[in-house]
């Protein structure tokens, strides 16, 4: 019996085969990857904004250096990921336009405001902590350029998570009562948005079944969310903070912490563009694109000129 190209492809990825840019792939596989990778790239770029807010108000030179390094890393991650999308035939300019027009998504978590310095530590601990749990699995994703980019990104992301944990740990241990309550307030605000980062519950995750079949996704949204809660519940005791969930409790039978689901209606509002900071975030990205248009123009003209010299 003659197998279709799709069947051969499906069998190849089902057996752990790596797909490279030059390989044939089904259109839907390419489209799914461009959606996920570009959403991921946009998240890294928009994700710089909440913390960048605190660059000029960092409480010491050491904290400022760490934060600058971290925010720069996020920019680098965005660039690797846009390059991955380009290997699939997408154009960076189109992807940015789709972000600014609201046609493309980016992680819901970056539509919440960073109100205090403690938020910088909490973003590192919870948001980078959630990001890395997901991203470690993506080092095994079936598309080669994406998997290889994730290896480097994960190394940097793990430093981000540790700096967040260390900042909170030290401020909690050595700080004043006012600083401790600032940390707790920050965790109260970022806990639910961090749980939402893993995406909707598996029952509402439209893409999961096919993405898992193709090896684009390795673990489901709910599996990763549970791993996150288990890890953070333990680490919260080391710092001394409370997870804002009265139902959080260890279940020896399942070997997991039982926890309360975040408000999924709020999640859909935020990814629908109606979160607290959506407009402000996109306005920032639009301004950056427009203010820097002259650089792109100059680069394009220079490239064309070089081409003319080469041709003649
Ligand atoms: N926010 O069917 P699923 C970071 C959308 S990086 C917004 O479950 P999927 C670094 C989804 O696109 C954080 N939209 O989707 C950093 C889909 O849209 P559609 C980003 C979301 O793709 C740290 C619909 O909902 N990481 O933080 C969200 O199978 C600190 C249905 O959902 C990545 O992007 C959400 N939270 O699974 C930077 C990792 N969740 O098809 C700065 C790569 C879902 O209706 C500071 N991505 N949607 O248009 C993934 O692993 C997956 O795309 C998931 C979602 C797991 C995010």
């Amino acid at each position: 019996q003659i197998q279709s190209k799709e069947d051969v492809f499906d069998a190849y990825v089902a057996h752990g085969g790596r797909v490279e840019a030059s390989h044939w792939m089904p259109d839907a596989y390419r489209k799914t990857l461009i959606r996920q990778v570009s959403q991921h790239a946009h998240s890294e770029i928009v994700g710089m904004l909440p913390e960048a807010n605190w660059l000029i108000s960092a409480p010491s030179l050491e904290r400022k250096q760490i934060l600058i390094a971290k925010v720069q890393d996020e920019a680098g991650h965005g660039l690797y990921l846009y390059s991955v999308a380009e290997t699939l035939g997408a154009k960076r300019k189109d992807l940015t336009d789709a972000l600014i027009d609201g046609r493309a998504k980016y992680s819901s978590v970056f539509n919440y405001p960073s109100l205090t310095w403690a938020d910088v530590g909490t973003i590192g601990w919870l948001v980078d902590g959630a990001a890395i749990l997901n991203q470690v699995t993506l080092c095994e994703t079936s598309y080669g350029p994406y998997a290889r980019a994730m290896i480097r990104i994960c190394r940097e992301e793990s430093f981000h998570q540790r700096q967040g944990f260390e900042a909170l740990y030290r401020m909690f241990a050595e700080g004043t009562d006012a600083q401790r309550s600032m940390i707790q307030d920050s965790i109260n605000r970022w806990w639910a948005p961090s749980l939402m980062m893993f995406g909707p519950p598996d029952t509402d995750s439209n893409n999961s079944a096919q993405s898992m079949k193709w090896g684009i996704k390795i673990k489901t949204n709910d599996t990763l969310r549970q791993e996150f809660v288990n890890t953070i519940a333990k680490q919260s005791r080391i710092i001394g903070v409370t997870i804002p969930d009265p139902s959080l409790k260890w279940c020896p039978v399942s070997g997991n912490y039982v926890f309360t689901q975040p408000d999924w209606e709020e999640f859909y509002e935020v990814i629908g563009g109606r979160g607290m900071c959506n407009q402000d975030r996109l306005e920032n990205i639009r301004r950056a694109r427009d203010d820097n248009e002259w650089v792109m123009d100059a680069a394009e003209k220079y490239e064309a000129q070089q081409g003319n010299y080469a041709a003649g």
Side-chain angles (χ1 to χ4, degrees):
Q1 190 193 337
I2 299 169
Q3 283 189 307
S4 70
K5 271 174 155 180
E6 279 82 1
D7 289 342
V8 174
F9 179 89
D10 286 356
Y12 176 70
V13 287
H15 286 91
R18 270 272 156 93
V19 182
E20 296 300 335
S22 56
H23 293 177
W24 181 88
M25 61 186 89
D27 283 346
Y29 176 87
R30 187 185 298 278
K31 217 173 134 205
T32 300
L33 265 175
I34 292 176
R35 176 189 58 79
Q36 178 169 320
V37 171
S38 64
Q39 169 174 319
H40 194 167
H42 298 328
S43 305
E44 302 281 356
I45 298 299
V46 179
M48 289 192 280
L49 296 171
E51 286 167 293
N53 208 18
W54 285 94
L55 279 175
I56 50 165
S57 321
S60 69
L61 184 59
E62 186 200 3
R63 290 291 167 201
K64 191 177 181 114
Q65 282 176 318
I66 294 172
L67 190 57
I68 289 174
K70 177 184 189 292
V71 172
Q72 282 178 343
D73 284 352
E74 310 297 0
H77 298 174
L79 298 185
Y80 300 149
L81 289 162
Y82 284 127
S83 300
V84 171
E86 282 174 333
T87 67
L88 291 156
K91 297 231 171 5
R92 168 102 183 259
K93 185 180 176 314
D94 297 343
L95 299 176
T96 305
D97 289 346
L99 169 66
I100 293 170
D101 299 347
R103 282 176 285 127
K105 296 187 174 75
Y106 58 91
S107 188
S108 48
V109 76
F110 300 118
N111 292 304
Y112 292 84
S114 52
L115 302 178
T116 64
W117 170 254
D119 287 9
V120 170
T122 304
I123 290 173
W125 181 42
L126 295 183
V127 176
D128 286 278
I132 196 169
L133 259 174
N134 167 291
Q135 292 177 150
V136 162
T137 68
L138 294 174
C139 295
E140 301 299 320
T141 194
S142 57
Y143 187 55
Y146 192 22
R148 289 188 289 273
M150 291 320 302
I151 292 171
R152 174 142 182 201
I153 290 177
C154 282
R155 286 195 188 125
E156 294 177 350
E157 213 75 87
S158 110
F159 146 69
H160 298 170
Q161 196 271 351
R162 289 165 74 112
Q163 68 80 33
F165 178 85
E166 192 264 353
L168 293 185
Y169 178 79
R170 275 189 52 196
M171 210 196 316
F172 205 86
E174 298 165 13
T176 60
D177 283 349
Q179 284 172 315
R180 276 189 279 277
S181 62
M182 180 170 77
I183 295 176
Q184 187 60 55
D185 167 71
S186 169
I187 291 163
N188 294 352
R189 285 181 288 108
W190 288 94
W191 174 247
S194 303
L195 292 178
M196 293 175 191
M197 282 179 74
F198 297 95
D202 291 352
T203 43
D204 300 324
S205 168
N206 309 327
N207 302 295
S208 274
Q210 184 61 64
S211 288
M212 303 270 297
K213 217 170 130 211
W214 274 331
I216 292 176
K217 275 172 94 162
I218 309 296
K219 291 187 182 177
T220 74
N221 301 357
D222 284 334
T223 305
L224 286 168
R225 194 170 6 256
Q226 183 67 61
E227 286 179 15
F228 174 73
V229 173
N230 292 350
T231 307
I232 295 297
K234 285 183 195 133
Q235 292 181 354
S236 67
R237 288 206 300 273
I238 301 171
I239 301 176
V241 290
T242 306
I243 299 301
D245 178 357
S247 308
L248 186 80
K249 92 168 176 287
W250 175 249
C251 169
V253 181
S254 66
N256 286 313
Y257 278 85
V258 178
F259 66 100
T260 309
Q261 289 290 320
D263 178 351
W264 289 113
E265 270 180 38
E266 177 179 313
F267 169 79
Y268 286 112
E269 281 296 296
V270 175
I271 68 170
R274 294 173 296 278
M276 262 187 270
C277 300
N278 294 59
Q279 285 191 2
D280 186 52
R281 301 293 185 230
L282 290 188
E283 176 53 24
N284 256 287
I285 303 291
R286 189 196 61 71
R287 212 173 35 240
R289 179 194 61 185
D290 295 351
D291 288 352
N292 292 308
E293 210 169 349
W294 67 273
V295 180
M296 301 299 288
D297 281 351
E300 273 167 21
K301 286 197 178 106
Y302 177 75
E303 200 177 300
Q305 205 179 42
Q306 295 299 99
N308 288 342
Y309 286 141

